């Protein structure tokens, strides 16, 4: 109801640190079960995203906790999040980039920032290892993953249209490839392989977008078992 209460610099940093603790603290199986049961991570991430939309928008250097939060949100979009968390993570990233309290009015600046922020995420999401229909005998977690991927892509199309529809220097853009997959493979059932002609670099799932924050690198293996997320409605400029 009052997102500005969490949008103040110190308040937002505290929220980011709390979110980090929920994701990275080693828990017993009972604690983890309760966290999942009550949706603690999703709840906190929802608060974070709403608060992000009310940040001041001043050009201040982000603290380590906010930098860590951004990396965790990226990871939620591409690897670990439930469909709701993946969507909310995109909303949060968009709100941090373009807060409602001080929206970007120059469209060229907005386009540049959207591409910088979201093109790496789109590239990771459209990677064939993620954007594919699982086999019938795949485990439930694998089957749910494509839903999270498509949900994140849909949220990017809503929140960052300049990044989503970027042409990619005359070649098929990441957003266009996602649309082709949704139409040809998901809706029409055609077994079409994604065009990877624009892929430059490693196509593995451990891309730069999935790197852990420096202070958490020592606990990388433990962190792989954690979940994360965030949420807020995008405020599109008219």
């Amino acid at each position: 109801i009052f997102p500005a209460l969490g949008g103040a610099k110190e308040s937002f940093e505290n929220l980011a640190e709390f979110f980090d603790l929920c994701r990275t603290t080693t828990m017993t199986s009972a604690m983890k079960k309760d966290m999942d049961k009550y949706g603690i991570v999703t709840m906190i991430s929802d608060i974070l995203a709403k608060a992000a939309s009310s940040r001041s928008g001043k050009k201040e250097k982000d603290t380590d906790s906010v930098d860590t939060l951004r990396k965790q949100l990226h990871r939620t979009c591409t690897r670990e999040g439930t469909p709701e968390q993946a969507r909310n993570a995109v909303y949060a990233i968009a709100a941090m980039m373009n807060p409602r309290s001080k929206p970007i009015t120059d469209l060229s600046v907005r386009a540049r920032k959207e591409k910088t922020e979201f093109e790496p995420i789109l590239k990771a999401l459209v990677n064939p290892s993620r954007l594919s229909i699982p086999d019938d005998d795949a485990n439930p977690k694998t089957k749910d993953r494509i839903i999270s991927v498509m949900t994140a892509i849909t949220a990017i199309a809503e929140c960052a249209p300049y990044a989503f529809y970027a042409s990619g220097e005359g070649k098929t853009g990441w957003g266009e490839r996602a649309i082709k997959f949704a139409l040809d493979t998901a809706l029409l059932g055609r077994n079409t392989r994604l065009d990877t002609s624009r892929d430059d670099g490693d196509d593995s799932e451990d891309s730069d977008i999935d790197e852990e924050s420096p202070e958490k690198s020592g606990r990388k293996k433990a962190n792989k078992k954690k979940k994360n997320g965030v949420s807020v409605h995008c405020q599109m400029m008219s």
Side-chain angles (χ1 to χ4, degrees):
I1 299 176
F2 303 109
L5 293 176
K9 188 174 184 295
E10 185 176 353
S11 299
F12 192 78
E13 290 172 3
N14 290 336
L15 286 170
E17 290 176 5
F18 188 36
F19 181 68
D20 180 46
L21 287 174
C22 290
R23 285 198 62 249
T24 59
T25 301
T26 302
M27 302 181 187
T28 64
S29 57
M31 290 172 63
K32 188 178 184 304
K33 185 176 180 181
D34 285 340
M35 291 278 286
D36 293 339
K37 178 181 178 181
Y38 296 108
I40 301 298
V41 173
T42 303
M43 189 185 307
I44 297 173
S45 65
D46 181 56
I47 296 171
L48 267 171
K50 288 182 171 64
S53 68
S54 297
R55 294 181 77 196
S56 67
K58 295 180 181 179
K59 294 183 179 180
E60 298 178 352
K61 181 177 175 57
D62 285 335
T63 60
D64 289 342
S65 60
V66 175
D67 287 337
T68 299
L69 172 64
R70 183 177 281 102
K71 292 176 182 178
Q72 291 173 347
L73 294 175
H74 285 192
R75 193 175 180 86
T76 301
C77 297
T78 58
R79 296 190 65 172
E80 298 178 348
T82 64
E84 181 182 11
Q85 291 170 354
R87 181 187 65 245
N88 294 338
V90 173
Y91 288 165
I93 295 168
M96 292 169 69
M97 176 197 71
N98 187 20
R100 184 174 55 192
S101 59
K102 192 176 181 181
I104 301 172
T105 55
D106 188 325
L107 294 183
S108 63
V109 173
R110 176 175 173 177
R112 184 175 66 253
K113 286 193 173 185
E114 284 187 6
K115 291 176 183 178
T116 300
E117 193 75 58
F118 286 103
E119 277 193 343
I121 299 175
L122 273 172
K123 180 179 178 180
L125 291 171
V126 176
N127 188 300
S129 65
R130 291 184 175 91
L131 197 61
S132 59
I133 302 297
D135 298 329
D136 292 338
D137 57 351
N139 63 59
K141 184 176 180 180
T142 301
K143 290 182 178 179
D144 290 342
R145 189 178 187 190
I146 183 59
I147 301 176
S148 296
V149 169
M150 293 302 296
T151 302
I153 291 173
T154 302
I156 292 174
E158 176 189 352
C159 295
Y162 295 105
F164 186 83
Y165 293 107
S167 61
E169 299 180 355
K171 295 184 178 180
T172 306
W174 307 117
E176 186 177 343
R177 286 196 228 178
I179 293 174
K180 182 176 178 60
F181 172 85
L183 293 176
D184 290 349
T185 305
L187 294 181
L188 300 180
R190 297 173 183 167
N191 188 18
T192 341
R193 181 169 179 79
L194 285 171
D195 172 22
T196 57
S197 59
R198 269 191 68 200
D199 295 351
D200 48 359
D202 186 8
D203 275 344
S204 69
E205 296 194 7
D206 295 322
S207 59
D208 291 341
I209 199 70
D210 296 326
E211 289 183 355
E212 289 287 345
S213 58
E215 63 270 30
K216 303 300 177 185
S217 59
R219 292 182 290 171
K220 184 176 181 181
K221 290 184 180 180
N223 286 350
K224 286 185 178 180
K225 298 180 181 179
K226 304 299 184 295
K227 302 288 181 179
N228 57 352
V230 172
S231 107
V232 80
H233 289 102
C234 287
Q235 302 296 324
M236 300 300 296
M237 293 170 58
S238 56

